[in-house]
Amino acid sequence: MTRALAALIGHSARRSRALLGATAALLVVFQALAALMAASFEQAGSFDQMAAMVPDFLRQAFGASFLALLTFDGIVLLGFFHFAIIAFLVGLAIAVATEPASEVEHRFNDLLLARPLPRWMPVARSAILLAGVALATCGAMCAGTWTGLALFAPEGIDWPSPTLILSLGGLMAALMVCCGGVALAIGSAARRRGVAGASAGLLVFGLFLVDVVARVWEPAILLARLSPFHYFDPIRLAVGQPVTWWHPAVLLLAGAAGFAVALAVYGRRDL
């Protein structure tokens, strides 16, 4: 049974190895370039100038945390809270987690279930692969950050602490597991990967918008607790504010709940 599960994981990993390898390489390069940019700004004394150029309405809208990002540490850690990076990694998690729907669509599940394999195994395969992808990509971001600092950081300047970098990477990985768990539950019930991916993407985007509204409209705060982005606040970490341990715990529990739903749905559906 263990060998069969390992074979399934290896088959899926081989099909996506080019995408995952390219993603990890790009994240390493981006974080290294962020360190280079931060070093360049620090040596040129540009941070004070950038802070002075920020209009008052932006200061009021984003608060003191926005100005705290216009520092050496803030630029070095840019990838951990940049919207484009977050959106791409969430999309990658959704793509990985919707593989059960792809196997139904292309009838690969007929080949799988023709063998004496339990139905939980394809779902467990996708969950393990999702966790591996989250750890690998976020680990690549941490490695790229340390590589960039080692290559480009000016002498005598304090680096972001290893605890901070690992905490940001762990929080990002927890968000990927959460969104991937939701996508896995949807993908285990769908017959087309495109439908599963689009449905999961729209749901995650809608939950993101709920959190955005709640940040500026207090009556929506209770509803925002249903959004994974309510528990994902890397900027607080980046500017030195504490983030409670239960935020990533909630994200991981939500991902585990999605996995449990996927097991129940895939085990009972008509394939």
Side-chain angles (χ1 to χ4, degrees), residues 38-39 42 47 71-74 76-77 149 153-162 164-165:
E42 179 69 24
F47 289 119
T71 61
F72 179 81
D73 286 5
V76 166
L77 302 173
L149 288 169
E155 293 185 7
I157 194 167
D158 292 333
W159 294 10
S161 69
L164 173 59
I165 296 174

Side-chain angles (χ1 to χ4, degrees), residues 4-17 99 103 108 111-112 125 129:
L5 180 59
L8 277 179
I9 295 172
H11 176 263
S12 297
R14 284 192 296 272
R15 289 198 298 179
S16 56
R17 64 182 182 274
E99 188 171 9
E103 291 173 343
F108 182 74
L111 178 62
L112 288 179
R125 176 275 324 272
L129 189 62

